[in-house]
Amino acid sequence: MHFIYSIIVAIAGLLLQIVAVFVPKIKLFVSGREGVFPTLKAKIKTEDKTIWFHAASLGEYEQGLPVIEKIKEKYPTHKIIVSFFSPSGYEVRKNNTVADVTVYLPLDTINNAKKFIELVHPEMAFFIKYEFWPNYLSELKKRNIPTYLISGIFREKQAFFRWYGGFYRKALESFTHFFVQNESSLQLLQRLGIQNATISGDTRFDRVASIVEKNNSLDYIGRFKANKTTIVIGSSWPKDEELLLDYINSSTQDCKFIIAPHNIKPEQIQYFKSNCTKKTLLFSEKENKDMANYDVFIIDTIGILTKIYSYADIAYVGGGFGHPGVHNILEPATFGIPIVIGPNYSHFAEAIDLVRLGGCISIKNSEQLNAILNELIVDSESRKCKGSISTNFVQNNAGAVARIMKKI
């Protein structure tokens, strides 16, 4: 099975090179990997001490960031190596300041795994949440390199727990320890006879809990807000924007709207702006403008949404009308504000819990959206109560990093 798997990966690599000619994102995926080994050779010396972290994409990187920072603090003389599988993670965080070297992870062939680990020669390896690459894990085990899974999530439908999953179950034997998010993940591992696992919780709570201690000021957001009730719409998709555009156009409330789309496609942003009847300004057009005179501010850039949430009185987090569902609700929650989301959130434990507690409200249609936004705008006590639930939820679930560091 191992041989068949390696053949399939090699064939997939060849097919991706063909597809890359037609698909820009795949082109990044392929071309970005071409310089990995020369980069590692240039930036890592044989005598360097290193620690390797692997993240599938941006969300996993953000999830692992609190642990990366603590490891860097504990081992200041080691070089931190971060690898990404997806372009959406690498391209956004390739210039991060926490890692000494940031690269794509080459495809999981036997030769790539041997060469990568030989060049990186980590003293420890960390995989974040998931991404179980059998050849890399096998090579780590052969070299007796301590390997950890952090913020792990396991589900019944994964191959490990199916009758045909023996090959993938074998890969799990490479891990020194599993730090999982919840009891169900722990029980699934124990069902396989794996005992080297503990519940640490979700490191994302630690990351977002620390955000409020940082400088989140953006003077232009303050000028736009002008002390008015402000609704921040984060990571929105077209379906979210359709409902919200109707609300914004029909609203008689004295409030302001900031919208940060998930995809900053010019045509999508222009459509929203053209169809918005309120006075609207783009981030890219803000220079020399009296921002207090505008009602809607569209963020046609990336990387500042977290800070913008600090100015929100109410947050709408997008993605809840698509699959797998809603985007990150913890960032607005940490700032103590009520959150509104769409109906699809069943894949996200934090959303399920916060909806149950009342800090987050799920809506299914425009009528429900209009009703809850009007209520939250008018009723400051309701906003305050739901906001307190949100921030307490984050604070009460923090601590995963400390539990991981103690065990390591």
Side-chain angles (χ1 to χ4, degrees):
M1 182 62 188
H2 200 153
F3 176 75
I4 295 172
Y5 167 81
S6 296
I7 292 294
I8 291 171
V9 172
I11 293 171
L14 294 173
L15 292 174
L16 286 169
Q17 290 182 21
I18 297 170
V19 176
V21 177
F22 309 100
V23 183
K25 189 172 182 178
I26 301 299
K27 185 177 181 180
L28 282 174
F29 181 95
V30 172
S31 62
R33 285 169 164 77
E34 291 173 357
V36 171
F37 294 131
T39 297
L40 294 177
K41 286 179 182 178
K43 294 188 175 183
I44 303 174
K45 298 176 183 177
T46 306
E47 62 270 23
D48 286 338
K49 295 180 178 180
T50 69
I51 299 172
W52 171 35
F53 288 85
H54 175 66
S57 191
L58 182 59
E60 290 73 34
Y61 169 82
E62 299 291 349
Q63 197 157 27
L65 187 57
V67 179
I68 301 174
E69 290 172 336
K70 281 294 181 183
I71 288 288
K72 190 178 181 73
E73 182 183 311
K74 186 176 177 65
Y75 301 95
T77 61
H78 286 60
K79 285 187 174 180
I80 302 298
I81 316 302
V82 170
S83 64
F84 286 96
F85 184 77
S86 166
S88 58
Y90 175 80
E91 295 300 327
V92 175
R93 288 291 180 262
K94 60 185 176 184
N95 295 317
N96 71 83
T97 56
V98 71
D100 297 282
V101 183
T102 303
V103 293
Y104 277 101
L105 184 72
L107 292 180
D108 187 32
T109 65
I110 293 173
N111 287 338
N112 281 347
K114 286 181 177 179
K115 191 170 182 179
F116 184 92
I117 294 172
E118 183 176 322
L119 289 169
V120 175
H121 52 82
E123 290 189 7
M124 291 185 285
F126 294 84
F127 288 69
I128 303 166
K129 193 174 180 179
Y130 42 57
E131 289 253 306
F132 306 95
W133 297 112
N135 285 320
Y136 281 99
L137 290 171
S138 175
E139 191 63 26
L140 288 166
K141 186 177 181 182
K142 286 177 185 175
R143 294 171 183 254
N144 295 313
I145 297 170
T147 302
Y148 303 94
L149 181 73
I150 55 178
S151 285
I153 283 282
F154 290 92
R155 296 185 175 91
E156 188 86 39
K157 293 182 179 180
Q158 289 173 302
F160 311 112
F161 311 106
R162 299 301 182 94
W163 63 267
Y164 54 81
F167 170 67
Y168 294 100
R169 286 193 290 272
K170 184 75 175 175
L172 297 181
E173 296 176 7
S174 300
F175 284 95
T176 306
H177 201 86
F178 297 85
F179 295 99
V180 297
Q181 291 187 31
N182 52 37
E183 179 68 30
S184 62
S185 294
L186 181 67
Q187 289 179 359
L188 283 169
L189 288 176
Q190 290 175 341
R191 204 170 81 188
L192 298 180
I194 295 173
Q195 301 301 322
N196 54 326
T198 54
I199 300 173
S200 62
D202 189 343
T203 52
R204 287 182 303 162
F205 287 96
D206 294 76
R207 188 186 75 79
V208 298
S210 69
I211 288 174
V212 294
E213 301 168 5
K214 299 178 180 178
N215 179 6
N216 294 295
S217 61
L218 296 169
D219 61 335
Y220 52 87
I221 298 294
R223 293 200 305 273
F224 170 79
K225 182 179 172 74
N227 295 317
K228 290 189 177 182
T229 301
T230 300
I231 299 174
V232 173
I233 300 156
S235 302
S236 59
W237 287 79
K239 178 60 177 178
D240 303 299
E241 291 161 14
E242 178 185 332
L243 299 181
L244 289 156
L245 187 60
D246 287 343
Y247 178 80
I248 292 169
N249 286 342
S250 62
S251 176
T252 58
Q253 304 288 355
D254 185 21
C255 64
K256 299 222 173 185
F257 301 88
I258 301 174
I259 177 166
H262 178 70
N263 292 315
I264 54 171
K265 296 179 179 178
E267 62 274 16
Q268 185 176 327
I269 288 171
Q270 192 55 48
Y271 176 85
F272 193 96
K273 183 181 180 182
S274 300
N275 287 276
C276 187
T277 57
K278 300 288 173 69
K279 199 170 181 183
T280 303
L281 178 68
L282 301 185
F283 174 88
S284 58
E285 302 171 340
K286 73 180 188 306
E287 297 305 321
N288 302 316
K289 298 288 174 58
D290 185 353
M291 300 188 67
N293 287 333
Y294 292 87
D295 305 302
V296 180
F297 189 24
I298 302 177
I299 311 301
D300 55 343
T301 188
I302 60 173
I304 58 174
L305 176 58
T306 302
K307 290 189 175 186
I308 292 174
Y309 278 135
S310 72
Y311 290 85
D313 297 289
I314 303 161
Y316 178 98
V317 178
F321 284 92
H323 296 282
V326 69
H327 288 282
N328 188 348
I329 66 166
L330 294 181
E331 287 184 351
T334 197
F335 290 110
I337 51 178
I339 302 158
V340 182
I341 61 174
N344 298 339
Y345 60 91
S346 61
H347 281 74
F348 305 91
E350 69 277 8
I352 294 170
D353 291 341
L354 198 50
V355 168
R356 176 177 53 81
L357 292 169
C360 183
I361 307 97
S362 172
I363 56 94
K364 296 180 180 179
N365 51 49
S366 58
E367 291 76 14
Q368 292 180 353
L369 175 69
N370 296 354
I372 191 59
L373 288 183
N374 287 335
E375 175 193 324
L376 291 172
I377 291 168
V378 172
D379 191 343
S380 60
E381 282 303 310
S382 177
R383 287 204 310 270
K384 184 178 179 180
C385 177
K386 293 180 185 301
S388 294
I389 292 170
S390 293
T391 195
N392 288 337
F393 175 68
V394 171
Q395 295 296 330
N396 292 340
N397 282 280
V401 175
R403 288 187 280 272
I404 291 170
M405 293 304 295
K406 183 179 179 180
K407 184 76 176 179
I408 292 173

